[in-house]
């Protein structure tokens, strides 16, 4: 394999970044920023898009950027490009998360290239899933996808553990919704689709929806709804890492996106019930349900979608 870096055209760079930004992110904040120098892409955390109430340590922000990095890697593999990624390369710059360079690959990453087909079709599916079991070989595939990126994925199997996880989700909802700061932050990211980011609400009712969220503690109602979603999900699974620092969060993000794309390739969609991880006192309780050691990073629900839904909006590349 030729290890020499190759310069990419502006059109190639735009194409790669166009797929990178289709990654999921908390509240659809899209908290990434890219700079291009001599065909090398630097990915930065955009702290102006942070969620200090929901994500005080920028853990989920960093995971979101890791998801974008996985999309970029997949798009590059599809173009026959080899990728070299230097994670957190500058200890003096916390915002610089990765530097990505490219080379012509004699043997492209075939698995990553296959996942490219699912980038545009992946959705965050918040509705109830179809009443169908997910076959064990698919679950094994998803476990393998996480392991390839240095993370782990554990399916919550027993009914007792599933019920406890659902209780933690509901408890997390109650704690979050009881916080005026958290509600204000959520309301601030409720945007009309034309804004290109945030949680989409129809433009006509956006001011009313924001006012309701800011004003009323709906934790009990939302908690009951989310608990039902958890109870009825064919699969509840935790994605975790051995450590809990910036590099681990980037690993978690790449593993998460590989799991999501692999799931879509098998006809599945997913969404998140991260409340027990976002609320710090609940995180050890979720970990106690796991057989694996380490740190839970994402609580996923997976299943077969009953219908198609629109993609969340995205900001235009500049």
């Amino acid at each position: 394999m030729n290890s020499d870096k190759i310069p990419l055209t502006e059109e190639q760079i735009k194409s790669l970044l166009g797929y990178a930004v289709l990654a999921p992110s908390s509240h659809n904040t899209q908290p990434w920023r890219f700079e291009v120098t001599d065909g090398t892409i630097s990915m930065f955390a955009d702290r102006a898009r942070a969620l200090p109430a929901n994500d005080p340590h920028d853990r989920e922000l960093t995971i979101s950027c890791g998801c974008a990095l996985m999309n970029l890697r997949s798009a590059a593999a599809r173009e026959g490009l080899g990728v070299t990624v230097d994670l957190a390369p500058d200890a003096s710059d916390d915002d610089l998360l990765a530097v990505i360079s490219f080379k012509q690959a004699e043997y492209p990453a075939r698995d990553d290239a296959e996942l490219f087909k699912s980038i545009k079709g992946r959705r965050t599916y918040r509705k109830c899933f179809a009443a169908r079991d997910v076959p064990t070989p698919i679950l094994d595939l998803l476990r393998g996808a996480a392991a390839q990126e240095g993370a782990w994925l554990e399916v919550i199997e027993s009914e007792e553990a599933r019920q406890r996880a659902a209780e933690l989700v509901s408890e997390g909802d109650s704690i979050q919704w009881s916080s005026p700061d958290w509600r204000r932050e959520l309301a601030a990211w409720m945007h009309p689709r034309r804004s290109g980011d945030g949680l989409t609400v129809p433009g006509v009712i956006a001011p009313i929806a924001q006012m309701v969220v800011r004003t009323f503690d709906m934790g009990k109602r939302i908690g009951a709804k989310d608990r039902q979603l958890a109870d009825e999900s064919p699969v509840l699974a935790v994605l975790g890492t051995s450590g809990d620092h910036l590099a681990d969060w980037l690993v978690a993000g790449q593993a998460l996106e590989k799991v999501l794309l692999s799931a879509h390739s098998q006809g599945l969609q997913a969404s998140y019930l991260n409340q027990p991880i976002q609320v710090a006192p609940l995180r050890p309780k979720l970990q106690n349900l796991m057989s694996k050691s380490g740190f839970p990073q994402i609580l996923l629900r997976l299943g077969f979608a009953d219908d198609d839904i629109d993609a969340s909006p995205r900001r235009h590349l500049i």
Side-chain angles (χ1 to χ4, degrees):
M1 182 181 295
N2 184 357
S3 61
D4 293 334
K5 294 181 183 179
I6 60 171
L8 300 186
T9 66
E10 182 178 350
E11 183 177 346
Q12 285 177 305
I13 294 278
K14 274 189 161 182
S15 175
L16 294 179
L17 293 181
Y19 288 105
V21 301
L22 297 180
S25 57
S26 300
H27 292 6
N28 193 28
T29 54
Q30 304 167 47
W32 40 66
R33 181 171 60 83
F34 299 95
E35 292 183 4
V36 181
T37 306
D38 297 328
T40 295
I41 298 175
S42 297
M43 182 176 68
F44 295 85
D46 188 345
R47 309 286 179 191
R49 293 177 165 271
L51 299 169
N54 190 66
D55 183 29
H57 304 294
D58 288 350
R59 183 185 60 84
E60 288 191 356
L61 180 153
T62 307
I63 289 173
S64 299
C65 290
C67 289
L69 177 56
M70 184 67 242
N71 275 4
L72 193 153
R73 287 171 46 198
S74 179
R78 184 245 191 181
E79 294 297 321
L81 298 171
V83 176
T84 300
V85 179
D86 191 3
L87 294 180
D90 186 350
S92 66
D93 187 349
D94 291 339
D95 291 345
L96 178 57
L97 299 181
V99 175
I100 307 103
S101 55
F102 304 91
K103 56 192 175 186
Q104 197 64 48
E106 186 177 351
Y107 303 104
R110 190 171 302 171
D111 289 346
D112 289 354
E114 280 296 310
L115 294 179
F116 172 83
K117 301 173 185 176
S118 288
I119 291 177
K120 286 188 174 182
R122 181 209 61 78
R123 299 285 186 270
T124 299
Y125 192 86
R126 298 183 176 90
K127 303 179 183 181
C128 292
F129 291 119
R132 292 173 55 190
D133 290 338
V134 176
T136 298
I138 295 180
L139 298 179
D140 290 340
L141 173 72
L142 302 185
R143 292 185 186 101
Q148 286 172 12
E149 296 302 318
W152 48 263
L153 183 75
E154 180 168 345
V155 176
I156 303 176
E157 301 276 10
S158 75
E159 191 59 35
E160 180 182 359
R162 282 176 57 95
Q163 288 180 5
R164 181 58 182 141
E167 290 170 1
L168 291 173
V169 169
S170 180
E171 186 177 352
D173 277 323
S174 295
I175 292 171
Q176 288 180 323
W177 278 90
S178 70
S179 166
D181 288 342
W182 187 88
R183 296 200 307 270
R184 280 192 291 268
E185 183 175 87
L186 176 63
W189 282 97
M190 297 171 69
H191 296 164
R193 174 169 284 274
R194 64 178 178 273
S195 297
D197 62 5
L199 301 167
T200 302
V201 293
V204 175
I205 69 166
I208 298 171
Q210 290 167 338
M211 182 273 294
V212 169
V213 167
R214 283 194 303 267
T215 306
F216 298 105
D217 178 354
M218 296 184 286
K220 185 174 181 179
R221 183 172 68 83
I222 299 295
K225 178 184 175 183
D226 285 343
R227 181 171 180 170
Q228 182 178 3
L229 276 179
D231 282 337
E232 296 177 356
S233 294
V235 176
L236 288 178
V238 173
L239 185 140
T241 53
S242 58
D244 197 33
H245 302 286
L246 186 143
D248 302 297
W249 302 338
L250 287 169
V251 165
Q254 292 173 89
L256 171 61
E257 188 69 348
K258 182 165 276 193
V259 167
L260 296 175
L261 297 179
S262 299
H264 179 269
S265 75
Q266 302 300 312
L268 301 178
Q269 294 287 11
S271 65
Y272 317 96
L273 294 169
N274 289 329
Q275 297 89 328
I277 304 172
Q278 294 165 341
V279 178
L282 302 183
R283 197 178 184 194
K285 297 179 181 181
L286 181 64
Q287 173 56 37
N288 287 340
L289 302 178
M290 303 290 100
S291 64
K292 295 183 179 294
S293 61
F295 297 87
Q297 302 292 351
I298 298 290
L299 176 55
L300 278 174
R301 54 184 293 269
L302 296 124
F304 294 97
D306 269 328
D307 56 3
D308 294 327
I309 59 173
D310 291 336
S312 298
R314 288 297 185 272
R315 294 181 290 151
H316 294 296
L317 286 174
I318 298 176

